[in-house]
Amino acid sequence: MSSEKAKKFEEAVKTILELIGEDPSREGLVKTPHRVYKAFDHLCEGYRMDPKKVLNDALFESSNDEMVLVRDIEFYSMCEHHMLPIIGRVHVAYIPDGKVVGLSKIPRMVNIFARRLQIQEQMTEQIADAILETIQPKGVGVVVEARHMCMEMRGVEKINSTTVSSALRGLFKRDAKTREEFMSMVNAPLRPRY
């Protein structure tokens, strides 16, 4: 953010502190507006990035036509309704059709969408659509499992409730065996790390 935007942001944080009954000039809060600005600048950096560019930067020709799964991609985001954290894992699979993408690009692309104000359902769709449009595979499957602090810290206050969403494209939607293989791989027990 520009220095003018940073200044406006910090002033807004000071106003919020005053409105909740705090004194922004007390020792523990003097630097809080700047820290909040820096945190939000990082947490919302996905607005300044192009997920399709990240995927396009590492596309390779391949004869592989079997499922590729990147599982347990940890992420954090913030819900667009309350600006409270969403914390979870994403599982992304695709079936190549002449092209594969560098494996590290999938978690990077997930982070771009996660580092925006989000709802889980939309993020799930965005991930699937970015892969479908960029890699043009035979199919894409995305499952997101997450905890929402807007449900845990306020509202119904249900600790440890998990929301699961999915987006299926191509063979993952049309073919039951492909879908079953994907879900069994996603749900397979964790093994020791290599």
Side-chain angles (χ1 to χ4, degrees):
M1 284 190 203
S2 69
S3 60
E4 186 171 323
K5 283 185 180 179
K7 185 177 177 181
K8 286 173 77 171
F9 192 101
E10 290 174 25
E11 286 301 318
V13 173
K14 283 181 190 174
T15 300
I16 290 169
L17 289 171
E18 290 168 351
L19 290 172
I20 64 169
E22 268 293 354
D23 175 8
S25 65
R26 77 172 170 84
E27 183 182 356
L29 294 176
V30 169
K31 294 184 179 179
T32 295
H34 182 68
R35 289 184 189 114
V36 174
Y37 154 71
K38 295 288 281 181
F40 270 76
D41 189 48
H42 174 70
L43 294 171
C44 296
E45 70 184 357
Y47 289 114
R48 300 186 301 270
M49 299 175 173
D50 181 354
K52 292 178 187 170
K53 182 180 182 321
V54 167
L55 294 173
N56 271 318
D57 282 348
L59 278 181
F60 307 102
E61 289 191 23
S62 174
S63 60
N64 179 40
D65 63 355
E66 298 292 329
M67 190 179 303
V68 176
L69 169 67
V70 181
R71 191 173 101 161
D72 297 316
I73 303 167
E74 296 176 346
F75 79 95
Y76 56 83
S77 188
M78 291 193 304
C79 79
E80 65 185 39
H81 301 134
H82 305 96
M83 295 175 70
L84 290 173
I86 303 169
I87 303 163
R89 299 179 301 163
V90 179
H91 315 285
V92 178
Y94 70 98
I95 299 174
D97 189 14
K99 290 185 270 185
V100 295
V101 67
L103 293 176
S104 69
K105 302 305 180 184
I106 293 174
R108 287 175 197 249
M109 181 261 311
V110 166
N111 278 341
I112 290 171
F113 287 121
R115 290 185 182 167
R116 299 175 180 183
L117 298 182
Q118 277 291 12
I119 62 170
Q120 180 176 331
E121 301 89 338
Q122 176 177 294
M123 188 179 87
T124 308
E125 298 279 331
Q126 289 171 334
I127 293 166
D129 291 339
I131 290 174
L132 187 67
E133 292 168 22
T134 308
I135 304 172
Q136 299 178 345
K138 295 176 184 174
V140 178
V142 177
V143 171
V144 178
E145 306 169 61
R147 292 175 55 201
H148 294 250
M149 295 305 111
C150 58
M151 284 179 56
E152 294 190 26
M153 297 171 66
R154 56 159 300 283
V156 295
E157 296 185 15
K158 295 300 174 198
I159 306 300
N160 295 320
S161 61
T162 303
T163 300
V164 180
S165 55
S166 67
L168 305 173
R169 305 289 186 268
L171 285 177
F172 287 80
K173 190 164 194 152
R174 291 190 311 267
D175 184 66
K177 287 184 180 181
T178 301
R179 190 168 46 254
E180 287 169 21
E181 179 185 356
F182 170 53
M183 294 310 293
S184 70
M185 290 170 70
V186 165
N187 293 316
L190 290 176
R191 291 194 277 261
R193 301 283 180 201
Y194 298 100

